[in-house]
Amino acid sequence: MSPPDDLASAVRDETAAEEQAQEQARQETQERTRPVGLGPIGWMRWTWRTLTSMRTALILLFLFALGSVPGSIYPQRGVDPARVAQYFKDNPTQAKWLDRFWLFDVFSSPWFAAIYLLLFISLAGCVFPRALTHIKEIRRRPPAAPRNLLRLPHSEAFEGGLTLEQAAATLRRRRFRVVTGDGWVAAEKGYLRETGNLLFHVALLVLLFAVGAGGLFGYRGNVLVVEGDGFSNAVAAYDRFMPGSRVTAESLEPFSFTLKDFQASYVAAGEKQGQPLDYLAKLTVQDSPTAAPREVDLKVNDPLDVNGTLTYLIGHGYAPTFRVTDGKGQVAYDGPVPCLADDQATYTSECVIKVPDAQPTQLGFLARFLPTTVPNGDAWVSVFPGAANPTVQVFPFAGDLGLKSGQPQSVYQLDTTSLKPLGKMSAQPTPLNVGETKELADGAGKIQFTGVKEWISLQITYDPGREPALLAAAAAVIGLVLSLTIRRRRVWVRVKDGTATVGGLTRTEGGGPAFAEEFAQIVTALRGDQPAGDPDGDQGGEPDESGSAGHVAPDAPTGNAAPGARPDEE
């Protein structure tokens, strides 16, 4: 190789080495300047900030409302298990899939609980930091006056003998918080707007907590009581009992009562004949096993209250009494039978009597109770809901009632598939008056209509979150009113060489027109054309935090703005 070739090769090698060194240096520089990943703590901080943002809270609130919709569309096991069972019977495939997503137990499902807890955490994380910031804002003095007040959205200048002391006194009488400086007065009010906003969100938190407490520690139950019978607040005594997840048998208040009498009043004549006037249940109540009995009148919307456990009167009906004698001459049944009203206008009711102890064969009866019976051609009807002329039409059957089959049966239904009618069945049999007896065919026995009683249905509830929820709802309304009606606004006054300049600024969107009128009144009061009062009945103003000591020295700190700050820099 010739010398020139050696020189060229050396130059190329040196250039390549320099380029390689430069590339390596560039890569090292990129490595040093590459942003570091968030890391576990960074991701946790990002997750918390996202969860506690107002946007997330609104999304969760929407999901909370949306998640409640299936609970009103599909039957719920905690409310009506019979309807859920019927839904499975009618739509087995669809019900199986719905049950996989807990749509028959919406309010106790994991996904609904997750939305509830996330909403609670989101609101708490959003509200409490804002509350701390608002407390600091309330303690902070109004900012100093901008240099040129005529640039503000609301401003006016006038000549006169106005002094800073007079301007400060006028604004204080209008319930502004006032501070003074070198040649200026600053005033501000409307802090209750943010207070109302925070009150509304805190009330939502309390409302969520109260609803959750009621679901955990509360319970609800229904029971039917006939005149002369009693009730003790125990799980076994309820016809239907729906406890919270933290409720035990020992959680129930140990009270009891006896239904002495029930009275229903109706309009006797006229166009509104039969319309109910009043319902009254007379109870003898014992608040505890060792307490003295007391007499209580139970009415609709006037519940019995025993240490927070409320008993409501929600329904009533008739319970005619029967004595059934079987074919061997033994009394197989003697007592009242609650009937369900088939016609609310006349309280014509249907009853079912099951006598499994009758011999030599079991007996069953369908009965139609007529409170006020009158003939109507070949039929009998009731024309009034009160028991003025009570009668009963009886349809007897004999055979196996199926009570030993293990299948649940309703006490208000009689399956006549396996039963034999006793005698000739008529759509309108001769009704029995009180005291009359009907002999059964085939020597099966007899049935006697012995009298009429009435029954009442009660709902007994205990909800520890009821009162907190009511107070929270009222506080939410108050907070909403404050946040929607109060405007945050500031007013400054500068006095120099006999000329007073007044400027105003509202910090609330949409408050300009209302503040324009108020600003005009303030200017008029400062000029001295009318008494300096508060003619608009302002809401949201607070007295000067320092009272008569609201003045500060000209060289003292005056808030978060310098004297020459522009309005948009405050």
Side-chain angles (χ1 to χ4, degrees):
M1 181 179 296
S2 63
D5 293 337
D6 294 339
L7 180 60
S9 177
V11 171
R12 284 195 299 269
D13 293 341
E14 184 178 356
T15 302
E18 290 179 357
E19 291 178 353
Q20 184 177 2
Q22 291 176 359
E23 180 66 22
Q24 184 176 358
R26 187 176 63 82
Q27 292 179 357
E28 291 177 355
T29 302
Q30 289 180 351
E31 290 291 336
R32 288 194 301 268
T33 59
R34 180 177 300 170
V36 181
L38 289 177
I41 297 178
W43 279 110
M44 291 175 62
R45 184 181 293 110
W46 177 85
T47 302
W48 173 253
R49 290 177 178 175
T50 303
L51 178 61
T52 56
S53 66
M54 185 56 66
R55 178 181 298 178
T56 303
L58 291 175
I59 293 174
L60 290 173
L61 189 62
F62 173 74
L63 292 177
F64 184 77
L66 188 63
S68 304
V69 173
S72 60
I73 296 178
Y74 300 104
Q76 301 296 296
R77 285 193 176 93
V79 178
D80 196 347
R83 286 188 60 196
V84 176
Q86 186 65 35
Y87 196 97
F88 270 85
K89 183 178 179 180
D90 298 338
N91 307 280
T93 304
Q94 183 180 0
K96 183 179 179 181
W97 279 98
L98 292 176
D99 200 30
R100 290 181 178 179
F101 296 97
W102 293 280
L103 294 185
F104 298 115
D105 302 277
V106 169
F107 303 106
S108 59
S109 62
W111 57 266
F112 191 83
I115 296 175
Y116 182 90
L117 292 176
L118 287 175
L119 176 60
F120 190 89
I121 295 172
S122 179
L123 285 176
C126 179
V127 169
F128 290 124
R130 286 181 59 187
L132 296 177
T133 303
H134 182 56
I135 292 174
K136 295 179 182 179
E137 181 73 13
I138 291 176
R139 295 174 59 87
R140 186 169 57 186
R141 294 176 177 178
R147 181 172 301 172
N148 191 348
L149 296 180
L150 295 177
R151 293 181 179 179
L152 296 176
H154 305 276
S155 60
E156 188 169 342
F158 59 89
E159 295 182 356
L162 180 68
T163 63
L164 293 179
E165 290 75 11
Q166 292 174 343
T170 300
L171 292 172
R172 284 196 186 95
R173 283 194 293 269
R174 300 182 69 88
R175 300 170 62 189
F176 278 86
R177 299 177 63 181
V178 179
V179 295
T180 59
D182 186 11
W184 52 264
V185 175
E188 183 175 7
K189 70 175 177 179
Y191 294 92
L192 286 181
R193 176 184 176 85
E194 179 65 13
T195 303
N197 195 4
L198 290 172
L199 178 62
F200 174 77
H201 288 87
V202 171
L204 285 183
L205 277 175
V206 176
L207 187 62
L208 288 175
F209 181 80
V211 172
L216 289 175
F217 302 101
Y219 62 86
R220 184 176 71 224
N222 297 89
V223 64
L224 184 147
V225 183
V226 180
E227 284 179 323
D229 293 346
F231 169 80
S232 295
N233 192 28
V235 175
Y238 284 94
D239 297 330
R240 187 174 66 175
F241 185 66
M242 293 159 283
S245 58
R246 297 294 181 181
V247 175
T248 62
E250 291 76 16
S251 304
L252 276 62
E253 192 70 26
F255 71 92
S256 61
F257 60 80
T258 300
L259 176 59
K260 296 175 57 179
D261 185 33
F262 176 77
Q263 300 172 1
S265 303
Y266 305 94
V267 177
E271 295 181 357
K272 297 183 179 180
Q273 177 179 341
Q275 179 175 325
L277 294 175
D278 190 24
Y279 301 114
L280 173 63
K282 294 185 175 295
L283 307 178
T284 301
V285 182
Q286 278 188 284
D287 294 346
S288 67
T290 58
R294 59 189 177 98
E295 302 298 322
V296 175
D297 290 342
L298 183 64
K299 294 186 176 183
V300 178
N301 297 326
D302 186 12
L304 167 67
D305 188 350
V306 181
N307 297 329
T309 302
L310 302 178
T311 301
Y312 293 90
L313 175 63
I314 61 175
H316 77 101
Y318 288 100
T321 59
F322 299 92
R323 180 181 293 113
V324 178
T325 305
D326 63 15
K328 294 187 176 182
Q330 303 293 325
V331 177
Y333 181 87
D334 189 4
V337 178
C339 301
L340 299 181
D342 184 54
D343 183 358
Q344 294 291 333
T346 63
Y347 261 83
T348 300
S349 306
E350 295 182 352
C351 320
V352 171
I353 310 169
K354 298 179 182 181
V355 190
D357 297 329
Q359 297 293 334
T361 181
Q362 296 179 343
L363 299 176
F365 301 88
L366 294 175
R368 183 185 294 120
F369 177 75
L370 307 173
T372 302
T373 310
V374 295
N376 183 20
D378 296 334
W380 287 267
V381 296
S382 177
V383 295
F384 190 72
N389 182 29
T391 63
V392 174
Q393 295 174 310
V394 178
F395 305 84
F397 296 87
D400 185 8
L401 297 175
L403 299 179
K404 297 182 180 180
S405 63
Q407 296 293 330
Q409 293 188 15
S410 171
V411 296
Y412 302 106
Q413 294 180 347
L414 180 66
D415 186 4
T416 60
T417 304
S418 303
L419 300 179
K420 180 185 69 172
L422 293 176
K424 183 180 179 181
M425 285 292 174
S426 171
Q428 288 290 336
T430 302
L432 300 177
N433 294 305
V434 176
E436 293 183 348
T437 302
K438 179 181 179 68
E439 296 289 338
L440 304 180
D442 302 332
K446 58 184 180 181
I447 180 172
Q448 183 182 15
F449 177 30
T450 58
V452 179
K453 292 185 177 182
E454 294 188 71
W455 59 261
I456 60 174
S457 58
L458 305 171
Q459 184 177 84
I460 301 173
T461 63
Y462 174 71
D463 186 0
R466 180 174 59 91
E467 293 183 357
L470 176 62
L471 295 177
V477 173
I478 295 174
L480 190 61
V481 171
L482 291 176
S483 63
L484 293 178
T485 57
I486 295 177
R487 308 175 308 279
R488 184 82 176 271
R489 60 266 197 212
R490 292 171 176 171
V491 175
W492 294 276
V493 180
R494 280 189 177 274
V495 178
K496 185 178 181 181
D497 300 331
T499 301
T501 306
V502 186
L505 179 68
T506 176
R507 299 183 62 187
T508 305
E509 294 183 3
F515 180 64
E517 180 180 355
E518 182 183 12
F519 181 78
Q521 294 173 353
I522 292 174
V523 173
T524 302
L526 291 173
R527 283 176 170 174
D529 294 342
Q530 67 177 34
D534 192 4
D536 59 346
D538 177 77
Q539 300 173 352
E542 294 82 16
D544 182 9
E545 62 183 0
S546 57
S548 61
H551 295 272
V552 296
D555 56 348
T558 56
N560 63 336
R566 294 180 303 174
D568 57 352
E569 294 175 342
E570 297 168 8

